[in-house]
Amino acid sequence: MEKRRENGRIVSKAISFLLNRITLVVIAVTLVLFIGGRFELASATQPNAEFEIQQLTSCYSLGTDAIGRGNLPEGKNIYRDCFTQNAVLTAIFPDGTTQTSYGTDAWADFVYSVFQGNGYTATQHLMGTINISFKNGKVAMSSYLHATHKRSETSIDVANGTYEDEVVNERGRWKISKRTLKLIDFLNLSSPTIDSSNTNSSTNNAGSNNSSTTFVRPKMSGFKH
């Protein structure tokens, strides 16, 4: 009888030991999964990640301005560094019309045809008020646009709007998978023409006349940004 009790105590201790070990293993696995998940999420919000994502706005501007000066191949190459291969790019204009392209090469061809069709000799895209958010494993970015398109020495088109982007990490590199541009205005800014018959009076009143500027809203048909 005593031997049976001793055997029972041994079995009970063995079971208790195994249960404790199993509990420790379960706790360890849970901590690894929890900490690992938190680390992956945190790593996406580190300053380096935010800087790399923010640089995508400059990347697009440089690519577009390369196209603006007539260098389509350079613009395409730069775009490939900014976007995923199957990126979707959409522009929404103040009058409600839209333009959507699939893939950066298609967008670059479109931008080039528009810039050339409007006679632009150079462009400059300035980006600001960049906001990046991480939510539910997704990355979103918005940025303000101020773009200048040179028609001549006395005429430019100016556009203002907001880019809304979806950003993904593709093989260790951040890229834009979807971009939507919402323009709030698109205006032409031209220097005033001076009638030669009024040259003398214009000279005498330089302070008032030379500072005048004419704003003309351009026709939206035919222009897609």
Side-chain angles (χ1 to χ4, degrees):
M1 178 65 73
E2 186 65 29
K3 188 174 182 180
R4 289 181 180 179
R5 289 178 180 175
E6 181 65 23
N7 289 338
R9 285 195 294 269
I10 293 173
V11 171
S12 178
K13 289 181 179 180
I15 293 174
S16 178
F17 175 80
L18 289 175
L19 288 175
N20 288 336
R21 293 300 295 266
I22 292 173
T23 300
L24 289 173
V25 170
V26 171
I27 293 174
V29 171
T30 302
L31 287 174
V32 168
L33 293 174
F34 177 76
I35 295 174
R38 290 293 298 273
F39 178 78
E40 181 178 356
L41 179 61
S43 66
T45 60
Q46 292 301 311
N48 287 343
E50 292 195 14
F51 175 76
E52 291 174 7
I53 294 170
Q54 181 174 316
Q55 286 297 100
L56 295 173
T57 61
S58 299
C59 178
Y60 177 78
S61 297
L62 294 173
T64 303
D65 290 338
I67 298 173
R69 58 178 177 268
N71 194 334
L72 178 59
E74 181 183 359
K76 286 185 174 182
N77 286 334
I78 296 175
Y79 276 175
R80 293 183 187 117
D81 287 334
C82 318
F83 296 89
T84 60
Q85 185 176 4
N86 59 346
V88 180
L89 297 93
T90 299
I92 303 174
F93 300 94
D95 64 357
T97 60
T98 64
Q99 169 65 34
T100 298
S101 294
Y102 300 90
T104 56
D105 282 358
W107 182 259
D109 288 335
F110 176 74
V111 171
Y112 180 78
S113 66
V114 170
F115 285 2
Q116 292 295 305
N118 281 276
Y120 297 148
T121 58
T123 64
Q124 185 179 77
H125 289 66
L126 302 178
M127 310 302 301
T129 317
I130 301 170
N131 183 55
I132 301 170
S133 63
F134 301 86
K135 186 176 182 180
N136 298 327
K138 296 182 179 180
V139 181
M141 176 170 62
S142 64
S143 52
Y144 289 173
L145 163 73
H146 177 79
T148 301
H149 310 78
K150 182 180 178 182
R151 287 182 174 273
S152 68
E153 295 302 320
T154 59
S155 178
I156 59 173
D157 288 342
V158 178
N160 293 284
T162 301
Y163 285 113
E164 296 180 354
D165 302 323
E166 293 180 10
V167 183
V168 298
N169 193 301
E170 187 175 77
R171 294 185 293 276
R173 294 190 60 187
W174 294 102
K175 292 192 174 184
I176 299 172
S177 61
K178 184 178 181 181
R179 160 159 284 199
T180 301
L181 168 61
K182 298 179 179 179
L183 285 168
I184 59 173
D185 62 43
F186 191 84
L187 303 171
N188 176 263
L189 173 60
S190 300
S191 298
T193 57
I194 301 176
D195 192 332
S196 59
S197 63
N198 295 324
T199 299
N200 292 333
S201 60
S202 296
T203 301
N204 294 332
N205 297 283
S208 58
N209 291 336
N210 289 346
S211 62
S212 63
T213 305
T214 302
F215 286 92
V216 179
R217 178 175 293 278
K219 295 180 179 179
M220 295 307 296
S221 58
F223 183 88
K224 299 291 186 297
H225 200 281

